[in-house]
Structures are given as structure tokens and as C-alpha cells.
Amino acid sequence: SVAPRSVWLHQAAGEANESQGLYDAAVREYREVLALAPQRPGIQFRIGRALLARAQATPGADLSEARQAFEEELKIDPTNANAAYELAEMHRKAGDLAKAREFFERAVAQHPEFDEALVGLGRTLVALGQPAEALPRLEAAAKRDPHNEVTFYQLAQAYRALSRTAEQEKALAEITRLRELAAQRASSIPEPRRDVTRQELPVKPPQ
């Protein structure tokens, strides 16, 4: 039988390494956990996150290992909304919008108040030419987190696609207001640690 303490110690060491940016060491510790307890929920997700974080430091890095870890997590725990979200975001960035939609919907089904997944699903639906379907998701995200400029940017895109000019302008004005607020607060408030990849503005926002 496996000593639960050794599983816990490897997991704790993995989390400590991950928090310090020692991603290779973190992955090694998490794999020790899986060697002892192959069906332990959450560990493949943490491996995927560590591999993703490591890849972010290397433009053009191969993300297939991270993607595989998130897929393995969903086999172990089909209810892991974070793993579904990360897969959705990887598919969205790769341009596979149908797959992105499938996994964002899966994440939202498991966790209806998952802000980043609501925004990801909304922006994917806008990109798929379904802005009317996107709106309720984006409006729900804006209500839950009224300080996220990415949400208002995506709302502006949805309103624009629906020719709702007044609402589009209101959303764009909200982005300006949020940026001014953020600039005032930037020096005093540290950025909270996130457990999932954040939704971001496009690198070159379309005109």
C-alpha cells in the first residue's frame, strides 16, 4: 500500500517548486505523485500548468505535452473545469474554434460562475460569427467581474457585430475608465495569483 504521507510530500514539494518558477523540478515531483497514486485528481492538471508556464518563456515552444496532461486530467476527473478551460484556450489560440467552443462549454457547464471561461466562450462565439449567443456569456462575466477590460473589449466586439452602436461605444468607454483606474492603482495593488491562464486582449486589436 502507498504511504499517503509520501504522496502528500511529493505534491507539496511540487507546488513549492512551481510557485518559485522551478517548473522542471515541479513536474518531476508531480510525476512522483502519479507513480504512487496514478488516479490522484488534480496532478495532471498541475503538470500541464507547469509545462505551460515553462513554455511561455520560450516563444514557439511545443505545447503538445501540456495539452496531453490536461487531456489525461479530464480522463481522471471529467469535472475538472480548469483542465477543460486550459484545453479550450490552447485550441482557441491555435485557431481551432470548434474545439475551443466545446471545451469552454464543458468548463462553464461544470463551473457556471467561471469568469475566464465565460469570456473565453464569448470571444470564441464572436469569432465563430455568433455574437447573439456570445452576449449573455459576456454580460454575465461583466456582472461578476466589472473590472476586467478584456470582457468589455469582447462585449464591444459582440455589440459591433450586432450593429448596436450605442452599447459598443459604452463598452469602449468603460475600457478607458478601467485603464485610468488601473493606472492609479497599479503602484499599490499586487496582481493576484491565478490558477488558470488569463484571457488577454488581442496583440493587435482589430480596428
Side-chain angles (χ1 to χ4, degrees):
S1 68
V2 173
R5 186 166 176 274
S6 55
V7 171
W8 182 85
L9 285 172
H10 283 300
Q11 184 169 341
E15 288 169 6
N17 284 322
E18 189 182 349
S19 70
Q20 293 169 53
L22 303 171
Y23 301 118
D24 289 338
V27 169
R28 274 198 302 276
E29 292 292 348
Y30 292 140
R31 286 189 169 140
E32 289 289 343
V33 173
L34 290 176
L36 295 164
Q39 297 299 306
R40 187 170 176 81
I43 302 303
Q44 289 281 9
F45 172 73
R46 298 226 71 101
I47 289 173
R49 282 288 298 164
L51 291 169
L52 206 53
R54 186 182 71 182
Q56 279 163 357
T58 317
D62 180 16
L63 299 177
S64 57
E65 210 182 343
R67 187 169 63 242
Q68 189 180 350
F70 295 132
E71 287 167 353
E72 289 299 321
E73 182 61 47
L74 286 176
K75 288 178 192 169
I76 293 167
D77 177 12
T79 68
N80 190 315
N82 286 352
Y85 170 85
E86 292 294 356
L87 283 168
E89 185 64 358
M90 291 172 94
H91 284 300
R92 186 188 71 76
K93 287 176 175 172
D96 187 347
L97 297 179
K99 272 279 185 207
R101 177 183 183 167
E102 177 190 327
F103 282 107
F104 279 131
E105 285 178 340
R106 185 166 174 177
V108 170
Q110 291 298 333
H111 184 6
E113 297 181 341
F114 190 164
D115 301 355
E116 300 288 342
L118 286 166
V119 178
L121 178 55
R123 80 189 296 173
T124 300
L125 289 167
V126 170
L128 284 166
Q130 295 167 6
E133 272 195 71
L135 265 186
R137 276 71 173 215
L138 293 168
E139 285 168 346
K143 200 173 283 186
R144 286 189 44 75
D145 179 6
H147 304 293
N148 188 340
E149 68 179 80
V150 181
T151 308
F152 287 98
Y153 177 80
Q154 296 302 330
L155 270 172
Q157 298 304 303
Y159 289 134
R160 179 185 177 194
L162 292 163
S163 302
R164 288 166 61 171
T165 310
E167 284 136 309
Q168 179 194 354
E169 286 172 2
K170 195 174 167 187
L172 292 171
E174 188 60 19
I175 294 171
T176 304
R177 190 185 75 81
L178 289 172
R179 284 185 176 167
E180 286 165 1
L181 263 181
Q184 291 165 19
R185 294 186 320 185
S187 57
S188 59
I189 299 180
E191 178 70 12
R193 185 173 177 271
R194 299 280 173 159
D195 274 342
V196 296
T197 302
R198 292 203 68 169
Q199 292 293 315
E200 293 175 344
L201 291 168
V203 179
K204 292 183 182 169
Q207 297 304 308

